[in-house]
Amino acid sequence: MASIDDIKEGVSNLLSNLNPNKKTKSKIENIELDIISSKDISRRKSVTNRRTAEGFNIADHAKSEPLIINISVLDNSINYLSNREALISLYDAGDPVAFYYSSRDEYSDVVIEDLRESENYQAENSFRYDITLRKIETSTFNSSTVVVDYKAAKVTSSTKKTTTATNVEATAEEKKKVYDGWGKTIGGGR
């Protein structure tokens, strides 16, 4: 038999599915953000300052920078104090997190780069945050094995030219130049 809480949760899910205009709360990981007053996204490219040779593709010299998301949050929920501690913990950890914006946009692998917190004496029991999130681009490494046909290349795998330094005694002429120069500087012109 289902408990009262299970029935309430089921009815709540059913009603939210019936009303497509109802927005769900925005979240950073599992922390609900009560009211997001603004969201700004910055997409940038860095382009070379140097001249490029004629015939080269300019796009080869433009590099996309990570996506930056700035949000302003007003948290006046019942959990505003625990949300504050959780946000600070996520910031301190520096680990990639997920950001969900009103069940419309989802950003994974973002890091909280800046967390500014402000309080207002007129708005008790709430915090205002300005949060900067930076999208972390991950790459994968592909390894490959290169097989060399040494017979076709007409070399063996051990064929390698090595050069080592050897100690050679200075010639009589080199010794004379060194001793003559040393005597003039150290011995005072003998």
Side-chain angles (χ1 to χ4, degrees):
M1 180 155 183
S3 70
I4 299 287
D5 291 334
D6 292 338
I7 294 170
K8 285 180 182 178
E9 184 178 339
V11 169
S12 174
N13 289 340
L14 180 63
L15 291 176
S16 66
N17 290 336
L18 291 176
N19 185 1
N21 294 328
K22 182 181 184 239
K23 293 184 178 180
T24 59
K25 294 277 187 182
S26 298
K27 293 181 180 182
I28 293 180
E29 275 306 290
N30 58 352
I31 304 165
E32 284 192 358
L33 305 174
D34 198 32
I35 300 168
I36 295 185
S37 58
S38 68
K39 176 183 99 166
D40 301 316
I41 294 179
S42 174
R43 292 176 178 88
R44 297 191 62 190
K45 280 199 183 288
S46 59
V47 182
T48 183
N49 299 5
R50 302 175 190 263
R51 286 186 228 155
T52 58
E54 187 175 335
F56 281 91
N57 189 356
I58 301 296
D60 290 343
H61 299 280
K63 179 183 162 199
S64 292
E65 294 184 6
L67 183 76
I68 305 246
I69 305 162
N70 293 308
I71 57 174
S72 294
V73 179
L74 175 64
D75 189 357
N76 59 2
S77 67
I78 296 171
N79 301 323
Y80 76 101
L81 288 174
S82 61
N83 286 351
R84 175 181 183 242
E85 294 302 317
L87 279 171
I88 291 171
S89 295
L90 285 177
Y91 171 77
D92 288 341
D95 293 330
V97 296
F99 169 55
Y100 308 96
Y101 181 68
S102 298
S103 70
R104 186 182 68 203
D105 299 330
E106 179 180 343
Y107 305 93
S108 59
D109 295 330
V110 294
V111 172
I112 300 175
E113 185 177 71
D114 187 26
L115 176 63
R116 286 184 289 160
E117 173 187 331
S118 59
E119 293 182 68
N120 188 339
Y121 73 93
Q122 294 173 338
E124 293 182 20
N125 302 327
S126 68
F127 289 108
R128 183 180 181 282
Y129 304 102
D130 291 315
I131 302 172
T132 301
L133 303 167
R134 181 180 294 263
K135 175 90 169 127
I136 302 300
E137 299 295 328
T138 56
S139 59
T140 58
F141 295 98
N142 295 331
S143 64
S144 61
T145 305
V146 177
V147 178
V148 177
D149 185 1
Y150 291 107
K151 289 181 183 177
K154 297 182 182 177
V155 295
T156 63
S157 61
S158 62
T159 303
K160 188 191 277 187
K161 184 178 180 182
T162 57
T163 307
T164 56
T166 57
N167 291 335
V168 177
E169 186 71 29
T171 64
E173 188 178 321
E174 290 171 334
K175 286 182 184 179
K176 186 175 190 253
K177 286 181 184 178
V178 170
Y179 291 128
D180 285 347
W182 181 76
K184 289 179 184 175
T185 57
I186 302 294
R190 291 185 198 171

